[in-house]
Amino acid sequence: MALRASPFPYKFVSGIHAIGWTLIVPCFWYLDRVIAVCKSTTKERSERQEQECYLHPLKVFFGSISFFLFFLLTAPLAFLGFLLWAPLQACRRPFSYHRVGLTSAEKETNRGFEQTGKASFTFASANLCLLPDGLARFNNLGHTQHRAHEIGQRIAESVGRPHVIITVESPSSCGPSDSIIPRPCSETDGGMEGHSQPPGGHHSEPTESSASSDDAEEPLTEPSSSKPNYNENSNKQRQSDHGSPSVFLPKRPRLLDEEPWEVSAFFPANIDILCLEEVFDKRAAKKLTTKLKPLFGHILYDVGVYACQPPCRCSAFKFFNSGLFMASRFPVLEAQYHCFPNSCGEDALAAKGLLCTKVLIGQNQKKKKAVGYFNCTHLHAPEGDGKIRCEQLDMVTRWIRDFQTAHKQPDEEVAFDVLCGDFNFDNCSPDDVLEQNHSLFEDYRDPCRAEAGKEKPWVIGTLLEQPSLYENDVNSPEKLQRTLEAEELRKQYISPPVAREGVPLIYPEPGQPWIGRRIDYILYRETSISKLCRTELEEVTFITQLAGLTDHIPVGLRLKVIMDSDYYDE
């Protein structure tokens, strides 16, 4: 049964809710502007150095007074709107669902299982800090609506670009040296064999930076008006700059036994499911939906609860939703949201929780349905609250198990089970040792983790230092990519591990690489998928395309799932 689009069961209720929210918005907006006009980002402060010194204080003085007066004038209307809006939250489903009009089955499914018995799936996760503008500025990020527009456009241009396969001659090979095969986005949208990396090839991912890194700086550092040609332009640029098309040159060769990872200036092409966190602002969520819906036919947004839900049993009034946003190429068969009941402090104002979904992938060679489970979450944020996060991880484990048990069907084969999101703890800080040893990591596999408290040597971290977001080394996707690939530079811009209170931090250990805080995760589980399936890790990607637009580094994961067609259930 398909999910309905509206979070309300009746149009009349939805209309009353819309009227109430319309009355609230002006008052809310003026209050937001009072904060925003008084709080500047480092980028704005540097731009003001060229202005007359007295202009900014005048702007702050008159702007804050004006916006505050309008806030007071609209407060009575907001109160009336609140009386209409708040009670209706009791009958609101905790998410909105956008689905593009009916399309062919080929565009919404991955036919790899049906045709070859194997398919690749690509996932990505990013924290966008799309709070109301005034609050986002405390993270050194402003202009929420502009950022939402630009983020959606960058992701759409990257995900929708032609898929390019590059084969580079390895020192031991005797075959042809180079070949470039552009593959337009196919109707299957699943990226079957095209995602695979040739054995013995170089580390640079064909779909991204090796074919198009230099030419992307101009269209990505400013709002783009047209979609760039990621193949032709890069060849021309490199030929003019260097005399030969360095698209053939590997960015960083991969060693024989090295795990498949990359720092990329682009999101992977043909992402199947995208999870975004901190999309708290409703207008920003709609802008993202508008930009992404041509590529992702199924979008869940405005996820979470508001006010006191459930009534009389809520730990705090929820001013904001969970901030979770999920975009999928595959149809969403089932979806369920749970709110964490143990949040405290400023985190209790948002309905952080877990979103569980079940998506239809297609069918296998036996004509049985192939489905996947995709779960996304955002855990408690303040440092030092490891016990709260561990309790939330316990809930996540239980809720996922209950969801999959309730929606499991005998005629289905499960191809993947993925959990991603912002966990707000890392695997290298002594202060996070409690979370690092949680049993969740015995159930789900973290491809970046060597063991509890120790990352694999190639991990770079995903949390940027907020005061330096706009510095020259990190203010464009290509510059941030180069910075992250150099350990000495990386130390200046990635947040360092957090010491345990009262204990000096000695890091890293002699002979070990310096690794920053990685709090954004994509995990996958193999014990819950079908006995017919086996999973192979194809690539982990650290993505720099949102440089200057968020304080997190997005992460990507590509899995190959191979289904054994010779297996028969007894």
Side-chain angles (χ1 to χ4, degrees):
M1 180 177 178
L3 298 175
R4 69 173 188 270
S6 173
F8 294 96
Y10 305 106
K11 290 184 178 180
F12 174 76
V13 177
S14 180
I16 296 297
H17 181 270
I19 292 173
W21 182 247
T22 301
L23 294 174
I24 293 173
V25 165
C27 180
F28 180 83
W29 187 83
Y30 286 125
L31 178 60
D32 182 49
R33 296 317 303 164
V34 170
I35 301 172
V37 78
C38 298
K39 181 70 175 177
S40 301
T41 65
T42 56
K43 182 178 181 180
E44 291 169 337
R45 288 197 291 270
S46 64
E47 291 172 349
R48 282 201 304 267
Q49 293 178 356
E50 301 177 0
Q51 300 177 357
E52 298 293 338
C53 61
Y54 60 84
L55 292 181
H56 179 65
L58 290 176
K59 178 182 176 182
V60 171
F61 178 76
F62 288 108
S64 58
I65 290 178
S66 300
F67 287 129
F68 186 72
L69 289 175
F70 281 114
F71 164 72
L72 294 178
L73 290 174
T74 55
L77 285 178
F79 180 73
L80 177 61
F82 179 82
L83 295 179
L84 295 174
W85 173 83
L88 295 179
Q89 303 309 310
C91 62
R92 176 186 174 272
R93 183 189 62 190
F95 56 82
S96 295
Y97 177 51
H98 172 85
R99 176 176 179 173
V100 175
L102 294 177
T103 57
S104 63
E106 287 81 4
K107 289 186 177 182
E108 290 197 338
T109 57
N110 188 319
R111 302 184 66 188
F113 290 136
E114 184 179 1
Q115 295 176 345
T116 66
K118 55 186 176 181
S120 290
F121 301 96
T122 307
F123 312 96
S125 176
N127 183 314
L128 304 183
C129 195
L130 291 176
L131 287 153
D133 192 38
L135 298 181
R137 290 169 178 271
F138 288 93
N139 286 4
N140 201 23
L141 292 163
H143 308 289
T144 294
Q145 304 308 316
H146 171 76
R147 285 194 298 117
H149 173 87
E150 182 68 10
I151 287 169
Q153 184 160 305
R154 291 192 189 187
I155 295 175
E157 288 179 354
S158 184
V159 174
R161 74 191 189 276
H163 189 103
V164 182
I165 299 177
I166 304 175
T167 303
V168 185
E169 180 182 8
S170 66
S172 60
S173 68
C174 300
S177 58
D178 302 304
S179 64
I180 305 180
I181 309 173
R183 184 178 73 85
C185 297
S186 66
E187 289 189 349
T188 59
D189 281 337
M192 301 181 314
E193 294 292 327
H195 285 296
S196 303
Q197 182 159 338
H202 290 282
H203 177 76
S204 177
E205 183 182 343
T207 65
E208 300 172 17
S209 53
S210 63
S212 52
S213 60
D214 285 356
D215 69 307
E217 181 171 343
E218 287 299 321
L220 291 178
T221 52
E222 298 179 356
S224 304
S225 58
S226 60
K227 187 177 295 187
N229 184 327
Y230 286 88
N231 300 313
E232 180 182 2
N233 293 349
S234 60
N235 291 339
K236 290 180 179 179
Q237 177 71 28
R238 289 177 182 269
Q239 286 179 9
S240 62
D241 291 348
H242 305 291
S244 62
S246 62
V247 68
F248 297 119
L249 299 178
K251 181 180 58 187
R252 190 187 70 83
R254 181 188 300 167
L255 301 177
L256 182 63
D257 297 327
E258 187 178 6
E259 294 188 66
W261 69 276
E262 181 184 16
V263 180
S264 171
F266 301 102
F267 277 83
N270 294 334
I271 291 176
D272 293 301
I273 304 180
L274 173 68
C275 172
L276 305 175
E277 300 89 47
E278 291 199 14
V279 187
F280 291 114
D281 188 274
K282 289 187 177 184
R283 288 189 298 154
K286 290 182 178 179
K287 283 182 169 62
L288 287 174
T289 300
T290 300
K291 288 294 183 181
L292 297 178
K293 66 184 181 182
L295 295 166
F296 300 96
H298 305 268
I299 297 176
L300 297 178
Y301 64 99
D302 196 11
V303 178
V305 296
Y306 295 95
C308 293
Q309 301 300 325
C312 304
R313 290 188 291 130
C314 183
S315 60
F317 188 94
K318 304 299 181 184
F319 288 92
F320 302 105
N321 59 30
S322 70
L324 297 175
F325 180 106
M326 173 188 156
S328 171
R329 295 183 188 269
F330 305 126
V332 179
L333 299 177
E334 304 286 350
Q336 189 173 36
Y337 162 82
H338 295 275
C339 181
F340 294 131
N342 66 337
S343 298
C344 66
E346 66 272 19
D347 255 32
L349 301 178
K352 289 186 177 181
L354 172 73
L355 176 66
C356 300
T357 63
K358 176 182 175 182
V359 298
L360 175 64
I361 297 168
Q363 60 183 11
N364 64 6
Q365 292 174 311
K366 299 178 184 179
K367 306 302 180 183
K368 294 182 69 175
K369 283 184 180 179
V371 301
Y373 290 112
F374 187 82
N375 314 281
C376 42
T377 189
H378 188 185
L379 301 184
H380 186 72
E383 295 177 3
D385 289 344
K387 184 177 180 181
I388 293 177
R389 280 187 287 273
C390 282
E391 291 173 354
Q392 292 178 347
L393 290 175
D394 290 338
M395 298 176 203
V396 166
T397 303
R398 183 176 72 254
W399 288 337
I400 291 176
R401 181 182 65 245
D402 293 345
F403 176 80
Q404 295 183 3
T405 300
H407 298 291
K408 183 179 181 180
Q409 300 294 331
D411 62 337
E412 296 174 343
E413 301 291 353
V414 180
F416 59 77
D417 180 0
V418 172
L419 170 63
C420 70
D422 181 354
F423 286 13
N424 276 311
F425 67 86
D426 60 63
N427 193 42
C428 59
S429 292
D431 191 53
D432 293 334
V433 66
L434 194 62
E435 301 98 300
Q436 294 162 5
N437 287 277
H438 194 274
S439 60
L440 175 82
F441 296 102
E442 298 173 6
D443 203 15
Y444 279 89
R445 180 181 174 190
D446 181 357
C448 299
R449 171 185 171 111
E451 60 185 55
K454 183 179 180 180
E455 299 279 56
K456 293 182 178 178
W458 45 265
V459 174
I460 63 172
T462 63
L463 184 62
L464 292 166
E465 292 278 44
Q466 293 171 355
S468 59
L469 290 178
Y470 307 105
E471 293 191 9
N472 189 56
D473 285 335
V474 294
N475 63 5
S476 76
E478 293 73 30
K479 291 177 181 178
L480 179 57
Q481 179 187 21
R482 289 192 290 268
T483 295
L484 295 182
E485 289 173 341
E487 182 175 324
E488 289 305 314
L489 277 177
R490 189 163 68 233
K491 292 179 182 179
Q492 303 175 34
Y493 299 102
I494 297 290
S495 294
V498 180
R500 189 177 298 180
E501 187 176 359
V503 181
L505 177 66
I506 302 176
Y507 183 85
E509 296 178 2
Q512 296 298 313
W514 188 92
I515 295 172
R517 300 196 69 198
R518 177 179 62 94
I519 66 174
D520 300 272
Y521 292 74
I522 301 185
L523 317 177
Y524 63 97
R525 179 164 59 177
E526 297 173 299
T527 57
S528 57
I529 65 175
S530 170
K531 293 183 291 184
L532 297 172
C533 298
R534 58 185 176 89
T535 303
E536 295 179 1
L537 174 65
E538 287 198 321
E539 187 154 61
V540 175
T541 310
F542 298 94
I543 303 159
T544 65
Q545 191 167 15
L546 302 185
L549 298 175
T550 179
D551 55 349
H552 286 243
I553 297 171
V555 292
L557 175 72
R558 190 168 72 240
L559 295 177
K560 175 178 279 188
V561 181
I562 302 172
M563 187 167 284
D564 183 4
S565 59
D566 296 329
Y567 181 89
Y568 293 93
D569 293 320
E570 296 182 1

